[in-house]
Amino acid sequence: MTQFDLTEDQLAIQEMARRFTADAITPYAAGWDERHHFPRDVVKAAAELGFGAIYVSEESGGIGLGRLEAALIMEAMAYGCPSTSAFISIHNMAAWMVDTYGSAATKSRYLPDMVTCDRLGSYCLTEPGSGSDAAALKTKAVRDGDHYVVSGSKAFISGAGENEIYVTMVRTGEEGPKGISCLVIEKDMAGVSFGANEKKLGWRSQPTRQVNFDNVRVPVENVLGVEGEGFKIAMSGLDGGRLNIGACSLGGAQRCLDEAIGYTRERRQFGQRVADFQATQFTLADMETELQAARTLLYTAAAKVTAGAADKTKFAAMAKRFATDTGSAVVDRALQLHGGYGYLQDYPVERFFRDLRVHRILEGTNEIMRVIIARELLRQ
């Protein structure tokens, strides 16, 4: 990216993702939401374009792009369905963690099928008793010869029960972050089970369940990094995940802004188009301004994460907080501009209103983003 403009290659990637979304996602997303249908075939089709391994290295079969290119793809797909785009983001995060921290044997075992989305990956950090306080996790892994024996539960796991691979944070040592390690656990390992599919406000095109581990024997070679590095690995994955969730909010909000413009041009009240009222124009102007500001911050943060800048985590937190708050606010105003019709499922804005709400909670709540930002400021 140049200082203010996307490069020709980035524009081409963005356009490819937009075309894919227009053909494979947007016409079907409302039906997926209504039926709670997980479109695995569409995820597989996205992988054929490289979208299942966006920042997995080319040596491992990925397309080796940066975090800005990933954000462009997620934003474009979220224009059709934030839930499906976010699911693909989570799979990308899991694949990147395997590629970045896995041994050669681990990478060769898992990445070929993850790149093609023949096997899908989940990220397992949150537990019933540890959400924002992630370092307090209790899922335990005890060394027994050349295996770890894993017991515990993970909560709110996207893809649970459907996905085959679970990149899981476990406690192998002392309390706190230094006692956490990261294991790759497979769906079919004995002792892995799943809770009921959660009944959610939004994100209905993907399954969310609890994952349970009952004395699951996991080979020691499935450790990512080394023992005790799990919390650091988990946090490094979240920098990119936060950017992608912010990008999903941008894409959903852009769709709703476009819908609001189209609706207010057609809807007439008091003898004129709703778009001709100055109050409407001011609302649309504010929505566009705030959305562009959030986009600029997120793209800057993505460039910093790709470059490994010293302040990348602070910028990722700022971008995630601002983009997800802004996205929700834009969608809320778009719904208001639709009046009573915006509350009906006949129009897409109510689905986006539901889908984007969770973005302010996951990948670290926006309150935790403020903690991260403030901590970095006070270190200076």
Side-chain angles (χ1 to χ4, degrees), residues 135-359:
L137 65 85
K138 300 296 183 184
T139 296
K140 194 170 186 179
V142 178
R143 182 76 178 259
D144 180 24
D146 58 357
H147 286 79
Y148 286 101
V149 180
V150 180
S151 296
S153 295
K154 297 294 181 178
F156 304 121
I157 304 305
S158 292
E162 179 74 33
N163 291 0
E164 291 80 13
I165 296 167
Y166 298 85
V167 178
T168 307
M169 310 310 142
V170 298
R171 185 161 303 285
T172 53
E174 63 189 79
E175 293 298 311
K178 293 183 180 179
I180 296 171
S181 300
C182 183
L183 295 177
V184 179
I185 301 177
E186 298 180 35
K187 175 182 180 178
D188 293 334
M189 289 178 173
V192 176
S193 64
F194 306 94
N197 199 6
E198 303 289 359
K199 298 177 181 179
K200 307 189 295 289
L201 174 70
W203 273 28
R204 294 178 177 176
S205 75
Q206 55 165 289
T208 303
R209 294 184 174 91
Q210 183 166 300
V211 184
N212 304 308
F213 306 105
D214 183 11
N215 293 319
V216 180
R217 295 185 65 83
V218 181
V220 170
E221 63 189 22
N222 279 28
V223 172
L224 298 186
V226 299
E227 189 172 294
E229 278 191 335
F231 193 74
K232 182 183 76 172
I233 292 171
M235 295 302 104
S236 70
L238 283 177
D239 276 344
R242 287 164 180 163
L243 294 173
N244 287 350
I245 289 300
C248 288
S249 284
L250 297 179
Q254 185 66 60
R255 170 70 178 281
C256 290
L257 174 56
D258 292 347
E259 293 286 340
I261 292 169
Y263 180 83
T264 57
R265 280 174 169 166
E266 295 296 326
R267 176 73 168 170
R268 299 185 67 86
Q269 293 288 279
F270 302 103
Q272 61 180 328
R273 301 185 310 168
V274 172
D276 292 331
F277 291 106
Q278 192 175 61
T280 301
Q281 295 171 2
F282 282 8
T283 299
L284 293 171
D286 286 346
M287 292 161 72
E288 169 70 3
T289 301
E290 292 164 22
L291 192 53
Q292 291 293 357
R295 184 175 284 122
T296 298
L297 177 58
L298 189 125
Y299 288 4
T300 299
K304 284 180 175 287
V305 171
T306 299
D311 55 359
K312 64 179 182 178
T313 296
K314 181 181 77 171
F315 268 80
M318 291 193 299
K320 190 269 183 183
R321 200 289 297 167
F322 190 54
T324 56
D325 279 348
T326 299
S328 287
V330 167
V331 174
D332 182 69
R333 280 174 284 181
L335 193 153
Q336 189 73 15
L337 288 171
H338 279 72
Y341 290 106
Y343 205 67
L344 303 181
Q345 292 184 2
D346 298 351
Y347 291 80
V349 288
E350 68 84 29
R351 171 168 56 89
F352 285 87
F353 183 89
R354 291 185 288 103
D355 278 350
L356 264 60
R357 181 60 184 87
V358 75
H359 295 185

